Amino acid sequence: MRIFVTGASGWIGSAVVPELIDAGHGVVGLARSDASAAALTAAGAEVVRGTVDDLDVLRDAAAASDGAIHLAFKHDIAFSGDFQGAAEADRRAADTFGDALAGTDRPFVLASGVVGLAPGRVATERDMPEIDGSPLSVRASTAQAVLALASRGVRSSVVRLSPTCHGEGDQGFLATLVAVARAKGVSGYVGDGGSHWPAVHRLDAARLFRLAVEKAPAGSVLHGVAEEGVAIRDIAEVIGRHLDVPVTSVASEAAAEHFAWLSAFLGHDALASNTLTRELLDWRPAHPGLLEDLDKGHYFHTPATTA
Protein backbone atom coordinates (compact mmCIF):
# COMPACT_ATOMS: atom_id res chain seq x y z
CA MET A 1 0.00 0.00 0.00
CA ARG A 2 0.90 3.63 -0.44
CA ILE A 3 0.37 5.24 2.99
CA PHE A 4 0.19 8.96 3.72
CA VAL A 5 1.58 9.78 7.17
CA THR A 6 1.37 13.06 9.07
CA GLY A 7 3.85 13.60 11.87
CA ALA A 8 6.10 11.33 9.86
CA SER A 9 9.36 12.79 11.16
CA GLY A 10 8.20 13.03 14.77
CA TRP A 11 8.92 10.78 17.71
CA ILE A 12 6.42 8.06 16.79
CA GLY A 13 6.33 8.80 13.07
CA SER A 14 10.06 8.34 12.64
CA ALA A 15 9.57 4.77 13.87
CA VAL A 16 6.34 4.16 11.91
CA VAL A 17 7.89 5.15 8.56
CA PRO A 18 10.66 2.48 8.52
CA GLU A 19 8.22 -0.05 10.01
CA LEU A 20 5.92 0.49 7.02
CA ILE A 21 8.73 0.53 4.46
CA ASP A 22 10.31 -2.63 5.87
CA ALA A 23 6.94 -4.34 5.47
CA GLY A 24 6.85 -3.42 1.78
CA HIS A 25 4.64 -0.34 1.86
CA GLY A 26 5.30 2.96 0.16
CA VAL A 27 5.22 6.00 2.43
CA VAL A 28 4.34 9.61 1.67
CA GLY A 29 5.21 11.83 4.61
CA LEU A 30 4.03 15.33 5.44
CA ALA A 31 6.97 17.67 6.14
CA ARG A 32 6.72 21.23 7.40
CA SER A 33 10.46 21.98 7.32
CA ASP A 34 13.55 21.28 5.25
CA ALA A 35 14.96 19.17 8.09
CA SER A 36 11.84 17.01 8.22
CA ALA A 37 11.84 16.61 4.45
CA ALA A 38 15.49 15.54 4.47
CA ALA A 39 14.87 13.01 7.24
CA LEU A 40 11.95 11.48 5.36
CA THR A 41 13.90 11.29 2.11
CA ALA A 42 16.79 9.60 3.90
CA ALA A 43 14.34 7.07 5.36
CA GLY A 44 13.09 6.18 1.88
CA ALA A 45 9.77 8.05 1.94
CA GLU A 46 8.26 10.48 -0.54
CA VAL A 47 7.68 14.00 0.76
CA VAL A 48 4.68 16.31 0.66
CA ARG A 49 5.39 19.77 2.01
CA GLY A 50 2.85 21.38 4.31
CA THR A 51 1.37 21.45 7.81
CA VAL A 52 -1.75 20.03 9.44
CA ASP A 53 -3.38 23.41 8.80
CA ASP A 54 -3.00 22.98 5.03
CA LEU A 55 -6.26 21.12 4.58
CA ASP A 56 -6.11 21.07 0.78
CA VAL A 57 -2.70 19.39 0.99
CA LEU A 58 -4.04 16.79 3.41
CA ARG A 59 -7.10 16.12 1.27
CA ASP A 60 -5.17 15.68 -1.96
CA ALA A 61 -2.45 13.49 -0.41
CA ALA A 62 -5.00 11.24 1.30
CA ALA A 63 -7.08 10.89 -1.87
CA ALA A 64 -3.97 9.85 -3.80
CA SER A 65 -3.00 7.20 -1.25
CA ASP A 66 -4.25 3.76 -0.27
CA GLY A 67 -4.64 4.83 3.34
CA ALA A 68 -3.52 7.37 5.92
CA ILE A 69 -2.06 7.52 9.42
CA HIS A 70 -2.56 10.80 11.29
CA LEU A 71 0.12 11.21 13.96
CA ALA A 72 0.69 14.97 13.84
CA PHE A 73 -0.53 17.09 16.75
CA LYS A 74 0.42 20.63 17.68
CA HIS A 75 2.24 19.69 20.87
CA ASP A 76 4.17 22.96 20.77
CA ILE A 77 1.05 25.04 21.40
CA ALA A 78 -0.78 22.33 23.35
CA PHE A 79 1.77 22.33 26.16
CA SER A 80 2.34 26.08 26.15
CA GLY A 81 -1.23 26.93 27.07
CA ASP A 82 -3.42 26.36 24.02
CA PHE A 83 -4.45 22.71 24.12
CA GLN A 84 -7.89 23.76 22.89
CA GLY A 85 -6.40 25.30 19.74
CA ALA A 86 -4.27 22.22 19.09
CA ALA A 87 -7.25 19.91 19.56
CA GLU A 88 -9.43 21.99 17.24
CA ALA A 89 -6.75 21.94 14.52
CA ASP A 90 -6.55 18.17 14.94
CA ARG A 91 -10.31 17.87 14.46
CA ARG A 92 -10.20 19.90 11.24
CA ALA A 93 -7.45 17.65 9.89
CA ALA A 94 -9.31 14.46 10.85
CA ASP A 95 -12.51 15.71 9.23
CA THR A 96 -10.55 16.47 6.06
CA PHE A 97 -9.18 12.94 5.97
CA GLY A 98 -12.66 11.56 6.50
CA ASP A 99 -14.08 13.53 3.60
CA ALA A 100 -11.20 12.50 1.32
CA LEU A 101 -11.52 8.79 2.11
CA ALA A 102 -15.30 8.45 2.46
CA GLY A 103 -16.72 5.61 0.38
CA THR A 104 -13.32 4.10 -0.46
CA ASP A 105 -13.03 1.43 2.29
CA ARG A 106 -9.43 2.58 2.69
CA PRO A 107 -7.81 2.67 6.14
CA PHE A 108 -7.48 5.79 8.25
CA VAL A 109 -5.65 5.46 11.58
CA LEU A 110 -5.75 8.25 14.17
CA ALA A 111 -3.39 8.62 17.14
CA SER A 112 -5.13 9.45 20.42
CA GLY A 113 -4.46 8.82 24.12
CA VAL A 114 -5.58 6.80 27.14
CA VAL A 115 -5.10 9.45 29.86
CA GLY A 116 -8.35 10.35 31.60
CA LEU A 117 -10.28 7.55 29.93
CA ALA A 118 -11.48 5.64 33.00
CA PRO A 119 -10.30 7.19 36.28
CA GLY A 120 -10.13 4.77 39.17
CA ARG A 121 -9.95 1.55 37.17
CA VAL A 122 -8.19 -0.18 34.28
CA ALA A 123 -9.45 1.25 30.98
CA THR A 124 -10.21 -1.11 28.12
CA GLU A 125 -10.69 -0.60 24.42
CA ARG A 126 -14.46 -0.68 24.99
CA ASP A 127 -14.39 2.40 27.22
CA MET A 128 -15.43 5.68 25.65
CA PRO A 129 -14.36 9.02 27.11
CA GLU A 130 -16.80 11.51 28.56
CA ILE A 131 -17.33 14.48 26.27
CA ASP A 132 -17.76 17.46 28.58
CA GLY A 133 -16.54 20.39 26.51
CA SER A 134 -13.10 20.50 28.14
CA PRO A 135 -10.02 20.89 25.93
CA LEU A 136 -9.07 17.26 26.55
CA SER A 137 -12.53 16.08 25.52
CA VAL A 138 -12.23 18.01 22.24
CA ARG A 139 -9.51 15.57 21.25
CA ALA A 140 -11.59 12.66 22.52
CA SER A 141 -14.52 13.76 20.39
CA THR A 142 -12.22 13.75 17.35
CA ALA A 143 -11.41 10.11 18.04
CA GLN A 144 -15.11 9.28 18.25
CA ALA A 145 -15.74 11.10 14.97
CA VAL A 146 -13.02 9.03 13.30
CA LEU A 147 -14.57 5.80 14.58
CA ALA A 148 -17.91 6.95 13.16
CA LEU A 149 -16.31 7.16 9.71
CA ALA A 150 -16.82 3.40 9.53
CA SER A 151 -20.43 4.16 8.59
CA ARG A 152 -19.19 6.31 5.70
CA GLY A 153 -17.09 3.63 4.05
CA VAL A 154 -13.75 4.31 5.76
CA ARG A 155 -11.82 1.51 7.50
CA SER A 156 -11.14 3.80 10.42
CA SER A 157 -9.36 2.96 13.66
CA VAL A 158 -8.00 4.83 16.65
CA VAL A 159 -4.77 3.94 18.44
CA ARG A 160 -4.89 5.25 21.99
CA LEU A 161 -1.29 5.71 22.99
CA SER A 162 0.25 5.49 26.44
CA PRO A 163 1.41 8.81 27.89
CA THR A 164 4.91 7.36 27.91
CA CYS A 165 6.06 6.12 24.50
CA HIS A 166 9.63 5.58 25.59
CA GLY A 167 12.88 4.77 23.87
CA GLU A 168 16.29 6.21 23.10
CA GLY A 169 15.97 9.78 21.87
CA ASP A 170 12.68 10.44 23.69
CA GLN A 171 12.10 14.09 24.62
CA GLY A 172 8.57 13.62 25.98
CA PHE A 173 7.09 13.15 29.44
CA LEU A 174 9.80 10.84 30.76
CA ALA A 175 12.67 13.00 29.53
CA THR A 176 10.98 16.05 31.02
CA LEU A 177 10.66 14.31 34.38
CA VAL A 178 14.40 13.60 34.26
CA ALA A 179 15.09 17.23 33.38
CA VAL A 180 12.98 18.47 36.29
CA ALA A 181 14.83 16.17 38.70
CA ARG A 182 18.17 17.39 37.39
CA ALA A 183 17.15 21.05 37.69
CA LYS A 184 15.54 20.74 41.15
CA GLY A 185 18.15 18.43 42.67
CA VAL A 186 15.49 15.94 43.77
CA SER A 187 13.55 13.24 41.95
CA GLY A 188 9.96 13.96 42.87
CA TYR A 189 6.56 12.34 42.70
CA VAL A 190 3.18 13.74 43.72
CA GLY A 191 1.66 12.60 47.01
CA ASP A 192 2.43 8.96 47.70
CA GLY A 193 3.56 8.37 44.10
CA GLY A 194 0.94 5.67 43.68
CA SER A 195 -0.52 7.00 40.45
CA HIS A 196 0.38 5.05 37.32
CA TRP A 197 1.33 5.70 33.72
CA PRO A 198 0.70 3.06 31.07
CA ALA A 199 3.77 2.67 28.90
CA VAL A 200 4.86 1.36 25.52
CA HIS A 201 8.16 1.33 23.67
CA ARG A 202 8.00 3.48 20.55
CA LEU A 203 9.04 0.55 18.33
CA ASP A 204 6.17 -1.56 19.66
CA ALA A 205 3.83 1.38 19.06
CA ALA A 206 5.12 1.69 15.49
CA ARG A 207 4.32 -1.95 14.81
CA LEU A 208 0.81 -1.44 16.14
CA PHE A 209 0.21 1.43 13.71
CA ARG A 210 1.38 -0.78 10.84
CA LEU A 211 -0.93 -3.60 11.89
CA ALA A 212 -3.80 -1.14 12.23
CA VAL A 213 -3.41 0.27 8.73
CA GLU A 214 -3.00 -3.22 7.30
CA LYS A 215 -5.88 -5.06 8.93
CA ALA A 216 -7.78 -3.32 11.74
CA PRO A 217 -11.52 -3.65 11.12
CA ALA A 218 -13.53 -0.48 10.57
CA GLY A 219 -14.38 1.25 13.82
CA SER A 220 -11.62 -0.42 15.87
CA VAL A 221 -10.26 1.04 19.09
CA LEU A 222 -6.71 -0.12 19.82
CA HIS A 223 -4.56 0.42 22.89
CA GLY A 224 -0.89 1.22 22.37
CA VAL A 225 -0.16 -0.06 25.86
CA ALA A 226 2.52 -2.62 26.69
CA GLU A 227 2.37 -2.15 30.49
CA GLU A 228 -0.96 -1.42 32.19
CA GLY A 229 0.60 1.01 34.61
CA VAL A 230 4.00 1.86 36.06
CA ALA A 231 3.94 3.62 39.43
CA ILE A 232 5.27 7.18 39.29
CA ARG A 233 7.22 6.58 42.50
CA ASP A 234 9.04 3.64 40.86
CA ILE A 235 9.96 5.89 37.95
CA ALA A 236 11.20 8.57 40.36
CA GLU A 237 13.37 6.05 42.19
CA VAL A 238 15.17 4.98 39.02
CA ILE A 239 15.72 8.62 38.07
CA GLY A 240 17.02 9.44 41.56
CA ARG A 241 19.48 6.54 41.43
CA HIS A 242 20.88 7.55 38.04
CA LEU A 243 21.16 11.25 38.91
CA ASP A 244 22.31 10.53 42.48
CA VAL A 245 19.68 12.85 43.95
CA PRO A 246 17.15 12.26 46.75
CA VAL A 247 13.74 10.79 45.91
CA THR A 248 10.98 12.75 47.59
CA SER A 249 7.26 13.39 47.67
CA VAL A 250 5.95 16.73 46.40
CA ALA A 251 2.69 17.93 47.96
CA SER A 252 -0.23 18.26 45.58
CA GLU A 253 -0.50 21.99 46.20
CA ALA A 254 3.17 22.46 45.26
CA ALA A 255 3.13 20.18 42.20
CA ALA A 256 2.40 22.90 39.63
CA GLU A 257 5.36 24.96 40.77
CA HIS A 258 7.69 21.97 40.95
CA PHE A 259 6.73 20.10 37.77
CA ALA A 260 5.27 22.95 35.67
CA TRP A 261 2.93 21.66 32.91
CA LEU A 262 3.80 18.06 33.69
CA SER A 263 2.00 18.29 37.05
CA ALA A 264 -1.37 17.93 35.32
CA PHE A 265 -0.38 14.45 34.13
CA LEU A 266 1.47 13.17 37.19
CA GLY A 267 -1.68 13.02 39.30
CA HIS A 268 -3.65 10.89 36.83
CA ASP A 269 -3.94 7.20 37.65
CA ALA A 270 -4.29 6.14 34.03
CA LEU A 271 -4.26 2.34 34.08
CA ALA A 272 -5.12 0.76 30.73
CA SER A 273 -5.14 -2.76 29.27
CA ASN A 274 -4.30 -4.10 25.82
CA THR A 275 -6.10 -7.45 25.89
CA LEU A 276 -8.54 -6.75 23.07
CA THR A 277 -5.83 -5.19 20.91
CA ARG A 278 -3.62 -8.26 21.30
CA GLU A 279 -6.49 -10.56 20.40
CA LEU A 280 -7.64 -8.51 17.41
CA LEU A 281 -4.29 -7.91 15.71
CA ASP A 282 -1.98 -10.47 17.34
CA TRP A 283 0.15 -7.56 18.55
CA ARG A 284 2.86 -8.68 20.95
CA PRO A 285 5.05 -5.95 22.50
CA ALA A 286 8.62 -7.22 22.39
CA HIS A 287 10.81 -4.30 23.47
CA PRO A 288 11.98 -3.31 26.98
CA GLY A 289 9.48 -2.06 29.54
CA LEU A 290 9.63 1.49 30.88
CA LEU A 291 11.72 0.88 34.01
CA GLU A 292 14.13 -1.41 32.15
CA ASP A 293 14.49 1.14 29.37
CA LEU A 294 14.99 3.98 31.86
CA ASP A 295 17.60 1.93 33.70
CA LYS A 296 19.64 1.53 30.50
CA GLY A 297 20.83 5.10 31.08
CA HIS A 298 20.21 6.79 27.74
CA TYR A 299 17.73 9.23 29.29
CA PHE A 300 20.57 10.63 31.35
CA HIS A 301 23.19 11.17 28.64
CA THR A 302 22.06 14.58 27.44
CA PRO A 303 20.11 17.01 29.60
CA ALA A 304 16.61 17.62 28.23
CA THR A 305 14.87 20.96 28.45
CA THR A 306 12.00 21.45 30.89
CA ALA A 307 10.33 23.95 28.56
Side-chain angles (χ1 to χ4, degrees):
M1 291 191 291
R2 174 184 168 92
I3 309 299
F4 177 51
V5 181
T6 70
S9 61
W11 174 236
I12 301 298
S14 59
V16 170
V17 169
E19 174 74 26
L20 290 170
I21 291 173
D22 288 348
H25 301 294
V27 175
V28 180
L30 184 70
R32 63 178 180 173
S33 69
D34 291 342
S36 293
L40 289 172
T41 299
E46 297 179 41
V47 175
V48 170
R49 293 300 294 263
T51 74
V52 291
D53 293 320
D54 296 323
L55 301 184
D56 288 342
V57 172
L58 301 186
R59 184 181 299 108
D60 291 346
S65 299
D66 298 313
I69 298 176
H70 181 40
L71 300 171
F73 190 75
K74 291 184 170 183
H75 291 99
D76 52 345
I77 69 170
F79 295 135
S80 61
D82 190 17
F83 193 96
Q84 179 91 19
E88 289 173 351
D90 191 50
R91 178 57 182 269
R92 290 191 293 270
D95 287 346
T96 299
F97 279 115
D99 290 341
L101 296 173
T104 66
D105 292 321
R106 297 174 189 169
F108 174 41
V109 186
L110 175 77
S112 189
V114 299
V115 172
L117 188 61
R121 62 178 175 81
V122 179
T124 77
E125 294 87 339
R126 292 194 178 98
D127 286 309
M128 289 297 157
E130 179 181 353
I131 306 301
D132 58 10
S134 67
L136 194 61
S137 75
V138 172
R139 194 174 191 192
S141 68
T142 298
Q144 292 190 354
V146 168
L147 295 176
L149 289 172
S151 66
R152 296 178 59 198
V154 180
R155 185 161 62 79
S156 60
S157 61
V158 171
V159 175
R160 294 172 178 164
L161 287 168
S162 302
T164 46
C165 295
H166 55 89
E168 188 162 3
D170 176 18
Q171 291 297 309
F173 286 177
L174 201 57
T176 301
L177 199 56
V178 170
V180 170
R182 181 179 277 114
K184 300 290 186 178
V186 297
S187 181
Y189 53 87
V190 177
D192 65 1
S195 57
H196 297 79
W197 275 349
V200 65
H201 196 284
R202 69 189 283 260
L203 298 180
D204 286 320
R207 183 169 184 269
L208 180 57
F209 277 102
R210 174 177 64 80
L211 292 173
V213 80
E214 288 177 343
K215 60 182 182 180
S220 299
V221 175
L222 308 166
H223 276 187
V225 172
E227 297 172 280
E228 286 191 356
V230 182
I232 301 299
R233 179 166 184 164
D234 291 343
I235 296 171
E237 287 176 347
V238 177
I239 293 172
R241 185 171 70 251
H242 277 268
L243 294 181
D244 194 23
V245 298
V247 179
T248 186
S249 171
V250 175
S252 297
E253 57 270 23
E257 180 181 356
H258 187 92
F259 295 105
W261 62 266
L262 194 59
S263 64
F265 295 91
L266 287 172
H268 283 290
D269 197 30
L271 296 165
S273 72
N274 64 14
T275 301
L276 299 179
T277 300
R278 286 174 178 255
E279 292 175 351
L280 185 65
L281 298 181
D282 194 29
W283 177 62
R284 298 288 184 267
H287 293 276
L290 188 152
L291 295 180
E292 180 185 353
D293 196 18
L294 186 59
D295 218 12
K296 288 178 180 293
H298 54 79
Y299 276 94
F300 307 97
H301 293 166
T302 304
T305 177
T306 58

